[in-house]
C-alpha cells in the first residue's frame, strides 16, 4: 500500500476502534504505532512510541493543562460558585425567570475561573436546581438552562479546550483567551435573552422568587469579590506578561486552594479528593495528547494532511463554504465524541486547511470551541446532560434535551455571527497584540 | 472467579498506592511554580531548575495516575454504538478491545524501559540543572505496570464473560 492509502486506512481503522469503544487516547496511539511500523519499520515505531510518551508527559508547555485543571477543581470545591450564585440570586431572583438568569450569570462568572463545562454545570446544577424546584420552575427550563450555561466554561477564559488547541497549533494561549471574551459575553447575553423570551411567551415556566432589599443586594456583592480577584490575578497576570500560562495556572490553583482553606471548605480529605480528581482528569487529557502525537507522526509520514489541504485548496468552491463544511464536520462529530478529544484528533487534519486558506487561527480556535459547546449538550453523548441527569435523576433525559433546544439555537446563532463577523473574536487580540 | 477478584483487589491497592505518590508530585508541581513565581517577582530569587523539576514531576505524576484512571474508566470513549449490538457481540468486542489495550500497555511499558536504557547509555540530562533523565524514565515505566495488570484483569474478565454467555 502507498503511504497515502495507508493513511486513509489508518483513519478508517481509528474511527472503527472509536465505535468499538476503545478509549480515544489508546486507539490513536495504537493505530499511529501500527501505521508507523507498517510505513517505517517496527524498530522506528517502537522508538517513536516511547519517545512520544516521554516527550509529551515531560513537556513543560503542556504543564499548563494540569495547572488550569487543578485551578478549576479547587474553585469547584472552595464554594466560590455558591457565593456567585447567591449574589446573582439576590439581584435577579425576585423577577419572573430571575433564578434562571441568575444561573446563567453565575455560570458565566464561574467560567471565568474554571475551564471545564462539566465542572461548571455540576457546580451550578447542585446549587441552582434545588432553588428552581423550590419556586416551581419548569423542569425543562431549569435543567436546560444549567446544562447549556455550563458550556460557557470552555469559551470564557481560562478554557482547557483553548489551551490544548493553542498548544497543538502553536498559537498564543493569551491571544486565544482574549479572543474568547467577547463571544463568551455575547453568549451569556444570548442565553439571558433566551430565558426572557421563553418567560414572556409562557409566564408559568418561571414564577418570581422572594424579594430582597437593596441592602441585601449590596451586601451580596461581597460574594463575587474572590472570583473577580482570582480572575484578575491569573488571566490579568497572563495578559500583562507577569506570568507564563503554566505560572498563571499554578498561581490560580494556589489562590483557589487558599480561598477554600480560608472558607473552611477544604479539609484534608476533601483536598485529597480534589487533587485526585484533578490528577485523573489531567492524566486523561495528557494521554489523549500522547495518542495524538503518535497518530500525528503516522499521519505526517502518510502525507494525508498535506494532500488533503492541497486537494481542498484546488476545489472550485469559496473558502467560506469549505469552512462551513469543516464546522459541519465538527458539529456532527460533537454528537458522538467528547469535544476535547474531537479537537485533538482532528487538528492535524484540518489545521493545514485553515492555514492554506489564510483563515485566522485564533478565530478558528474560537469557532471550534463554539461547535464543541454544542457537542456537550447534544445527544447521544452530551456530557453536560448526563451531569444534570445525575443531579436531577427524576427529570427524564428527553426533558433535559428539550430544555436545551432554545439555548442550542442561541449557540448556533452566535456561531453563524462569528463566521460572518470574525472581528467578534479577533477584535481584542488584534487590539492588544498589534 | 475468586482468584480474579483477589487479583483485581490487589491491582486496585497497588494502583491506589502509586497514585498517592502521583498526588504528591501533582501537588508539588503547583507549589513549586507558586514558590518560583513569588521568589522571582518579589525577591528576584527564582527556584533554580524549576522548569526541569516541573517536567520531571509531570512525567512521574501522570504515569503514576495511569493505573487508577484506567481502572476507574476515566479515559474518554465513544459510547453510542456498542450498546446497539447484540449482547454476545458486545462481549466479544469487549474481549477484542481489551486485548488490544493489554498489548499496547505492555509495549508502552517495555519501550519506556528500553528508552530509559538509551537515555542512560547516552548520558541524557535535563537542560538547566543537569539531572540525569533515565531514573525518571524507569520510574515512569514502573508506574505503567499497574495499568498493565489492570488491563490483564479486564481482559481475563472479558474472556470469562464470553464463555459464560456461550455456556
Amino acid at each position: 500500500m502507498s503511504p497515502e492509502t495507508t493513511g486513509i486506512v489508518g483513519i478508517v481503522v481509528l474511527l472503527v476502534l472509536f465505535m468499538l469503544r476503545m478509549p480515544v487516547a489508546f486507539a490513536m496511539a495504537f493505530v499511529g504505532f501500527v501505521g508507523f511500523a507498517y510505513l517505517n519499520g517496527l524498530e522506528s515505531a517502537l522508538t517513536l512510541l516511547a519517545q512520544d510518551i516521554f516527550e509529551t508527559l515531560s513537556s513543560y508547555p503542556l504543564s499548563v493543562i494540569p495547572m488550569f485543571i487543578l485551578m478549576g477543581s479547587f474553585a469547584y470545591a472552595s464554594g466560590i460558585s455558591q457565593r456567585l450564585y447567591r449574589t446573582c440570586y439576590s439581584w435577579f431572583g425576585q423577577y419572573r425567570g430571575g433564578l434562571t438568569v441568575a444561573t446563567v450569570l453565575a455560570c458565566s462568572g464561574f467560567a471565568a475561573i474554571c475551564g471545564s463545562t462539566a465542572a461548571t454545570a455540576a457546580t451550578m446544577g447542585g446549587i441552582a436546581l434545588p432553588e428552581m424546584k423550590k419556586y416551581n420552575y419548569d423542569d425543562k427550563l431549569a435543567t436546560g438552562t444549567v446544562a447549556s450555561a455550563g458550556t460557557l466554561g470552555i469559551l470564557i477564559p481560562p478554557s482547557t479546550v483553548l489551551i490544548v488547541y493553542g498548544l497543538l497549533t502553536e498559537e498564543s494561549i493569551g491571544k486565544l483567551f482574549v479572543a474568547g471574551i467577547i463571544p463568551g459575553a455575547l453568549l451569556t447575553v444570548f442565553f439571558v435573552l433566551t430565558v426572557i423570551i421563553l418567560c414572556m411567551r409562557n409566564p408559568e415556566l418561571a414564577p418570581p422568587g422572594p424579594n430582597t432589599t437593596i441592602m441585601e443586594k449590596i451586601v451580596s456583592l461581597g460574594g463575587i469579590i474572590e472570583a473577580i480577584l482570582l480572575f484578575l490575578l491569573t488571566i490579568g497576570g497572563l495578559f500583562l506578561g507577569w506570568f507564563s500560562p503554566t505560572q498563571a495556572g499554578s498561581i490560580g490553583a494556589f489562590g483557589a486552594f487558599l480561598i477554600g482553606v480560608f472558607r473552611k471548605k477544604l479539609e484534608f480529605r476533601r483536598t485529597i479528593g480534589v487533587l485526585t480528581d484533578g490528577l485523573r482528569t489531567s492524566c486523561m487529557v495528557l494521554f489523549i495528547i500522547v495518542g495524538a502525537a503518535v497518530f500525528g507522526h503516522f499521519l505526517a509520514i502518510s502525507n494525508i494532511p498535506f494532500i488533503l489541504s492541497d486537494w481542498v485548496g484546488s476545489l472550485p468552491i469559496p473558502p467560506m463554504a469549505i469552512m462551513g463544511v469543516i464546522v459541519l464536520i465538527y458539529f456532527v462529530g460533537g454528537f458522538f465524541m467528547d469535544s476535547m478529544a474531537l479537537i485533538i484528533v482532528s487538528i492535524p487534519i484540518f489545521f493545514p486547511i485553515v492555514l492554506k486558506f489564510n483563515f485566522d487561527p485564533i478565530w478558528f480556535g474560537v469557532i471550534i470551541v463554539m461547535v464543541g459547546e454544542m457537542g456537550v449538550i447534544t445527544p447521544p453523548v452530551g456530557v453536560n446532560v448526563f451531569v444534570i441527569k445525575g443531579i436531577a435523576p427524576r427529570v427524564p433525559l428527553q426533558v433535559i434535551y428539550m430544555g436545551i433546544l432554545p439555548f442550542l439555537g442561541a449557540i448556533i446563532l452566535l456561531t453563524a455571527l462569528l463566521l460572518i463577523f470574525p472581528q467578534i473574536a479577533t477584535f481584542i487580540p488584534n487590539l492588544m497584540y498589534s | 472467579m475468586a482468584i480474579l477478584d483477589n487479583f483485581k483487589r490487589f491491582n486496585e491497592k497497588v494502583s491506589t498506592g502509586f497514585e498517592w505518590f502521583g498526588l504528591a508530585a501533582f501537588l508539588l508541581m503547583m507549589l513549586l511554580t507558586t514558590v518560583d513565581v513569588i521568589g522571582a517577582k518579589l525577591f528576584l530569587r527564582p527556584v533554580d531548575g524549576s522548569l526541569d523539576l516541573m517536567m520531571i514531576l509531570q512525567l512521574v505524576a501522570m504515569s503514576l495516575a495511569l493505573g487508577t484512571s484506567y481502572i476507574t474508566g476515566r479515559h474518554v470513549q465513544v459510547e453510542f454504538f456498542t450498546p446497539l449490538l447484540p449482547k454476545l457481540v458486545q462481549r466479544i468486542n469487549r474481549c477484542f478491545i481489551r486485548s488490544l489495550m493489554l498489548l499496547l500497555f505492555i509495549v508502552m511499558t517495555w519501550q519506556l524501559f528500553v528508552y530509559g536504557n538509551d537515555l542512560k547509555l547516552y548520558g541524557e540530562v535535563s537542560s538547566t540543572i543537569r539531572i540525569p533523565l533515565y531514573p525518571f524514565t524507569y520510574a515512569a515505566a514502573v508506574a505503567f505496570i499497574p495499568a498493565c495488570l489492570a488491563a490483564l484483569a479486564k481482559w481475563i474478565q472479558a474472556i470469562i464473560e464470553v464463555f459464560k454467555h456461550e455456556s
Side-chain angles (χ1 to χ4, degrees):
Chain A
M1 273 194 290
S2 68
E4 295 79 15
T5 315
T6 312
I8 292 167
V9 170
I11 292 172
V12 172
V13 172
L14 182 70
L15 293 176
V16 170
L17 289 179
F18 283 169
M19 302 250 285
L20 295 180
R21 259 187 105 184
M22 188 165 186
V24 169
F26 305 115
M28 283 193 290
F30 184 80
V31 175
F33 168 68
V34 174
F36 201 91
Y38 180 80
L39 291 177
N40 247 22
L42 182 63
E43 198 62 36
S44 59
L46 288 169
T47 310
L48 174 89
L49 185 65
Q51 207 171 329
D52 279 344
I53 295 169
F54 178 82
E55 284 177 3
T56 305
L57 296 187
S58 65
S59 155
Y60 180 77
L62 286 181
S63 60
V64 61
I65 297 172
M67 290 301 97
F68 270 106
I69 287 174
L70 187 58
M71 176 181 163
S73 299
F74 276 133
Y76 171 70
S78 60
I80 293 173
S81 49
Q82 285 164 327
R83 292 184 285 281
L84 269 172
Y85 183 74
R86 221 161 282 147
T87 305
C88 299
Y89 179 106
S90 302
W91 283 83
F92 301 101
Q94 73 268 36
Y95 303 111
R96 202 173 282 284
L99 294 182
T100 36
V101 171
T103 305
V104 171
L105 295 177
C107 279
S108 178
F110 190 64
I113 49 172
C114 176
S116 149
T117 60
T120 308
T123 189
M124 282 305 159
I127 305 159
L129 288 176
E131 285 298 320
M132 289 197 264
K133 185 171 161 37
K134 195 161 99 187
Y135 290 100
N136 289 323
Y137 271 53
D138 179 64
D139 281 341
K140 208 162 62 177
L141 177 70
T143 53
T145 304
V146 185
S148 308
T151 65
L152 289 165
I154 54 167
L155 183 59
I156 295 174
S159 153
T160 43
V161 177
L162 282 177
I163 290 171
V164 171
Y165 173 84
L167 292 168
L168 292 176
T169 58
E170 297 181 0
E171 292 299 324
S172 152
I173 291 172
K175 266 189 182 180
L176 284 163
F177 275 3
V178 277
I181 291 177
I182 295 183
L186 270 179
L187 192 58
T188 306
V189 172
F190 281 17
F191 281 166
V192 168
L193 287 175
T194 305
V195 171
I196 292 171
I197 292 167
L198 288 172
C199 293
M200 278 168 65
R201 286 181 57 189
N202 183 1
E204 298 301 310
L205 287 177
N211 255 324
T212 48
T213 64
I214 189 72
M215 203 54 206
E216 282 172 323
K217 285 183 173 54
I218 291 167
V219 169
S220 75
L221 286 175
I224 57 172
I225 288 175
E226 56 204 16
I228 291 174
L229 282 178
L230 200 56
F231 179 77
L232 288 179
L233 181 67
T234 52
I235 307 301
L238 181 65
F239 294 155
L240 292 173
W242 292 351
F243 313 132
S244 69
T246 299
Q247 290 173 333
S250 300
I251 292 285
F254 189 67
F257 170 69
L258 285 185
I259 290 169
V261 171
F262 181 72
R263 294 278 186 181
K264 296 191 171 66
K265 294 275 183 185
L266 281 172
E267 87 290 3
F268 180 73
R269 195 176 282 270
R270 182 90 174 108
T271 306
I272 294 298
V274 171
L275 279 169
T276 306
D277 185 60
L279 178 61
R280 288 179 186 175
T281 307
S282 306
C283 174
M284 179 266 287
V285 175
L286 285 187
F287 271 91
I288 293 179
I289 298 177
V290 168
V294 181
F295 187 68
H297 281 124
F298 159 58
L299 275 190
I301 60 162
S302 74
N303 292 325
I304 287 287
F306 316 108
I307 291 170
L308 185 69
S309 70
D310 283 345
W311 175 72
V312 173
S314 67
L315 290 174
I317 49 175
M320 217 44 203
I322 289 164
M323 180 52 69
V325 172
I326 294 176
V327 168
L328 194 66
I329 291 171
Y330 274 104
F331 179 64
V332 175
F335 281 92
F336 307 107
M337 234 174 129
D338 173 78
S339 55
M340 173 86 79
L342 177 64
I343 288 169
I344 295 173
V345 173
S346 59
I347 282 299
I349 299 168
F350 291 129
F351 196 64
I353 299 175
V354 171
L355 294 180
K356 176 110 187 161
F357 285 98
N358 288 323
F359 287 118
D360 188 325
I362 300 289
W363 167 77
F364 181 67
V366 176
I367 288 279
I368 58 170
V369 165
M370 291 290 304
V371 185
E373 284 194 47
M374 297 180 210
V376 296
I377 52 171
T378 46
V381 278
V383 177
N384 276 19
V385 177
F386 296 139
V387 168
I388 298 304
K389 175 72 183 163
I391 298 168
R394 60 181 182 84
V395 182
L397 268 179
Q398 62 268 32
V399 170
I400 307 177
Y401 279 124
M402 289 298 287
I404 279 165
L405 281 178
F407 298 96
L408 185 63
I411 303 177
I412 292 172
L413 177 64
L414 183 59
T415 310
L417 285 175
L418 263 167
L419 284 169
I420 300 165
F421 306 108
Q423 298 83 351
I424 296 172
T426 58
F427 174 69
I428 303 186
N430 288 345
L431 194 72
M432 281 180 71
Y433 291 89
S434 60
Chain B
M1 285 301 273
I3 296 173
L4 184 63
D5 287 341
N6 286 339
F7 183 46
K8 277 190 195 162
R9 267 196 294 276
F10 168 77
N11 281 345
E12 277 168 27
K13 274 187 184 163
V14 173
S15 301
T16 310
F18 274 45
E19 194 182 45
W20 274 98
F21 290 102
L23 288 177
F26 192 41
L27 185 63
L28 263 177
M29 283 173 71
M30 177 187 79
L31 295 176
L32 172 72
T33 313
T34 306
V35 170
D36 181 45
V37 170
I38 293 172
K41 305 289 173 194
L42 299 183
F43 307 105
L44 302 175
R45 289 280 308 270
V47 177
D48 285 339
S50 62
L51 249 71
D52 294 8
L53 294 173
M54 273 296 271
M55 287 162 55
I56 288 165
L57 286 170
Q58 181 172 267
L59 171 70
V60 172
M62 298 306 141
S63 306
L64 287 164
L66 180 62
T68 45
S69 64
Y70 179 59
I71 290 172
T72 54
R74 286 296 280 262
H75 293 279
V76 177
Q77 297 169 336
V78 177
E79 296 185 353
F80 78 99
F81 178 69
T82 49
L84 306 174
L85 299 171
K87 285 272 180 267
L88 178 63
V89 180
Q90 280 187 39
R91 287 172 183 184
I92 293 171
N93 171 59
R94 207 174 300 147
C95 193
F96 168 65
I97 292 298
R98 287 180 181 180
S99 41
L100 294 187
M101 292 290 294
L102 176 62
L103 183 70
L104 182 67
F105 279 150
I106 291 172
V107 173
M108 289 198 298
T109 309
W110 163 47
Q111 279 307 304
L112 273 174
F113 278 115
V114 174
Y115 194 66
N117 286 341
D118 289 347
L119 294 180
K120 187 179 179 185
L121 190 70
Y122 296 113
E124 290 285 337
V125 291
S126 67
S127 55
T128 55
I129 47 172
R130 324 291 294 166
I131 308 175
L133 291 174
Y134 75 89
F136 303 103
T137 316
Y138 286 148
V142 171
F144 272 47
I145 291 174
C148 294
L149 295 177
L152 177 65
K154 286 192 181 205
W155 178 65
I156 295 170
Q157 171 92 47
I159 292 174
I160 292 170
E161 280 172 9
V162 170
F163 285 105
K164 231 183 189 178
H165 181 93
E166 282 181 345
S167 65

